[in-house]
Amino acid sequence: MNTAQAPSSTANLGPGFDVFGMALDACFDTVSVAQEGSSITISSDDDIPLEYTKNTAGIVIDMMRRDFKIESGVHITINKGVPAGYGMGSSAASAAAAAVAYSDLYNLNLSLDELTRYAGYGEQASAGSIHYDNVAASVSGGFVIVRPEPLRIIHLQPPENLALCVAVPDIPTPEKKTQVSRGVIPNMIPLHNVTTNVSLSSSLVAGICTGNISLIGDSIQDVIVEPVRKHMIPGLDDIRSLAVSAGAAGVTISGAGPSVIAFVDDDTADMNRVERAMQEGFGRQGIDCRTFPCSVAKGAGAVQ
Ligand code: ADP
């Protein structure tokens, strides 16, 4: 049996829709694989689909098994640490851990980009279209930039003092949340909005490269996707201004939401204050939230 663990992640980081991802050590999924029988079976105590064609880990392994012409079946055991459907890359964490565990089981020696490509098939099932931002971050760790076909992942290591706080509101999410929240994005975008988001994305990457957390925080804005999604996150503007007043450098929706993420300079700001501010922001809407203060994570890896 081989076991791998993969971290939660945040996607988009404001302006980088489907392009930016960052691994977070807030929580982890653990996936074990054992050669067994002649088909793919899954067990998990968590509330996720157990048919392999509907589970992101099962879909990834099915694809790898076909490509590498592996005849034996496999039993997959999934332990969810990442809450599903809240924008913390839960489906991606299972997919990433599955790709790593299965690759190890058969010594496939796949590169990070190959593992990411396989993990991406899982996202197609849960989100309705392939997007690699969460899986690339979960597989590789750190901050990633996804270049479209031919797929190329650019890896950057964010500054050590970058801390984050994810607030996960206790609100129900639609069954196909990611598909629903992708469905509200318009097909046509005014050019000046595109220019603004390109400018913000470029300065965010400059902030990561130069270790400038205030530039990162200032660039975590989005004039394209956030305006059409913000109604799904009650109190977003209030949460943002409370967290920034409490010392956060910037605040945005985590992935497709409804979680909200604050970027914090650990050297100068007090994380407890930011955490309380985010709780107060959701609290003003009558919503409880769980907060996950965290750091940038390393990528998926084997667990002995
Ligand atoms: P997230 O932001 O957490 O990735 P998604 O909406 O993209 O949220 O994915 C969650 C959806 O994917 C849920 O409907 C869940 O049932 C489905 N899903 C399938 N397999 C898994 C898995 N192994 N882990 C988590 N969710 C899964």
Side-chain angles (χ1 to χ4, degrees), residues 48-49 54-56 80 85-87 89-91 94 126 175 177-178:
I48 50 170
K54 297 203 172 117
N55 188 296
T56 58
K80 298 287 311 168
Y86 283 88
S90 178
S91 46
S94 286
S126 72
E175 173 84 11
K177 180 218 65 187
T178 303

Side-chain angles (χ1 to χ4, degrees), residues 9 29 31 42 47-51 54-59 78 80 82-95 122-123 125-127 131 134 173-179 181 254-257:
S9 56
D29 274 11
V31 174
I42 300 182
D47 185 19
I48 50 170
L50 297 180
E51 296 133 83
K54 297 203 172 117
N55 188 296
T56 58
I59 292 161
I78 304 175
K80 298 287 311 168
V82 186
Y86 283 88
M88 293 183 76
S90 178
S91 46
S94 286
E123 290 297 74
S126 72
H131 58 105
N134 286 107
T173 55
E175 173 84 11
K176 292 264 175 204
K177 180 218 65 187
T178 303
Q179 287 180 33
S181 45
S254 183

Side-chain angles (χ1 to χ4, degrees), residues 171 181 184-185 222-240 252-253 255-258 260 282 285:
I171 52 176
S181 45
V184 300
I185 301 167
D222 168 19
V223 299
I224 295 176
V225 180
E226 186 183 300
V228 294
R229 279 187 173 169
K230 66 192 285 191
H231 67 278
M232 298 173 181
I233 298 121
L236 177 64
D237 287 334
D238 203 22
I239 297 162
R240 176 180 287 128
T252 190
I253 303 170
V260 176
F282 274 120
Q285 303 292 320

Side-chain angles (χ1 to χ4, degrees), residues 135-157:
V135 284
S138 208
V139 165
S140 319
F143 173 79
V144 293
I145 302 171
V146 177
R147 288 250 315 257
E149 297 298 329
L151 180 66
R152 189 166 166 211
I153 311 294
I154 294 132
H155 306 260
L156 293 173
Q157 193 52 46

Side-chain angles (χ1 to χ4, degrees), residues 64-111:
M64 295 171 80
R65 186 170 166 243
R66 283 167 198 263
D67 281 359
F68 291 94
K69 302 189 178 13
I70 296 167
E71 286 189 3
S72 311
V74 60
H75 182 72
I76 309 168
T77 309
I78 304 175
N79 255 299
K80 298 287 311 168
V82 186
Y86 283 88
M88 293 183 76
S90 178
S91 46
S94 286
V100 170
Y102 197 71
S103 169
D104 289 351
L105 182 65
Y106 289 104
N107 294 315
L108 303 178
N109 288 319
L110 300 181
S111 67

